[in-house]
Amino acid sequence: MPRLQLWADATQTVFGAGTRNAEMMLVGEQPGDQEDLEGEPFVGPAGRPLDRALTDAGIERGTAYVTNAVKHFRYKARGKRRIHQRPAAEHLAPDAEHLAACRPWLTAELAVVKPDVLGCLGAVAAQELLGPSVRVTRDRGRRLDAPSLAPAALVTAHPSSILRSRDKTERDSAFNALVDDLRAAACLLRPNR
Ligand code: URA
């Protein structure tokens, strides 16, 4: 797919946000509706549980660099509503390569920030960065090797999965698991925390 086609319908490119000195980089999937309008990652509904989980894990969001594997909102228009479409990649859906098209940007962000810990939020970022065999349910919360990307890597669930919980028990449990994983990521930075 030509790279231009990806951003054709988006309001703007949503690059990462944060300091270039960040020790931790968090990579999500792709901007949603709100992110597309504001031009910042994780400022919409999925950003709220992420912010709370970061706080509970003792991580100040401003000290991390937060970005996405895909830099443009992808949606289908339904009347006035814009319905989010997942990014496609060769290993996820053979007909499109949104992740591949945006990979040079992500690679550039990694090269500039040089994070000590790379945190992948959800399967799309995890498989794009760490390989198609990574499974969030099996591998979450533990140190993974990605020597070409960062000294340590870790995967966790995408914060939007909390929003899809069926009830409060499931939501609390999903949220607490995210906090635990982010705490584990912080421990990779400071083992004595
Ligand atoms: N979901 C993501 O993966 N990234 C965002 O920035 C917002 C929602």
Side-chain angles (χ1 to χ4, degrees):
M1 164 181 291
R3 284 190 194 149
L4 288 183
Q5 212 169 314
L6 264 177
W7 59 265
D9 296 327
T11 306
Q12 56 193 312
T13 307
V14 181
F15 290 110
T19 160
R20 62 185 296 157
N21 301 320
E23 295 174 312
M24 187 181 298
M25 182 185 280
L26 298 173
V27 184
E29 186 177 304
Q30 76 182 141
D33 187 82
Q34 196 65 34
E35 288 79 15
D36 174 67
L37 296 173
E38 293 191 29
E40 294 266 329
F42 284 102
V43 291
R48 287 193 272 280
L50 175 62
D51 284 349
R52 281 196 296 120
L54 284 168
T55 302
D56 286 9
I59 301 167
E60 247 185 75
R61 176 163 167 168
T63 66
Y65 185 89
V66 180
T67 192
N68 283 301
V70 172
K71 310 299 187 195
H72 298 96
F73 181 42
R74 183 163 173 258
Y75 63 94
K76 276 212 170 100
R78 273 221 198 106
K80 285 190 181 163
R81 295 184 60 213
R82 306 194 302 170
I83 311 296
H84 172 267
Q85 303 290 299
R86 291 190 73 186
E90 218 169 315
H91 55 278
L92 299 171
D95 59 340
E97 293 181 346
H98 304 146
L99 286 157
C102 289
R103 184 59 190 254
W105 298 111
L106 186 54
T107 300
E109 288 174 300
L110 279 160
V112 170
V113 177
K114 295 190 187 66
D116 294 319
V117 172
L118 173 64
C120 301
L121 305 174
V124 170
Q127 294 186 353
E128 171 62 16
L129 285 164
L130 308 178
S133 62
V134 174
R135 296 286 174 273
V136 172
T137 39
R138 185 192 60 203
D139 299 323
R140 66 182 297 170
R142 63 187 178 86
R143 183 191 189 117
L144 299 173
D145 283 331
S148 62
L149 304 175
L154 179 141
V155 306
T156 186
H158 193 283
S160 67
S161 62
I162 296 165
L163 306 174
R164 291 193 295 271
S165 302
R166 278 165 300 190
D167 54 36
K168 181 170 172 355
T169 309
E170 198 177 292
R171 193 163 49 250
D172 288 350
S173 151
F175 178 76
N176 291 335
L178 177 62
V179 174
D180 286 349
D181 292 346
L182 291 172
R183 226 175 247 139
C187 280
L188 293 174
L189 288 174
R190 316 238 184 287
N192 298 324
R193 271 165 82 106

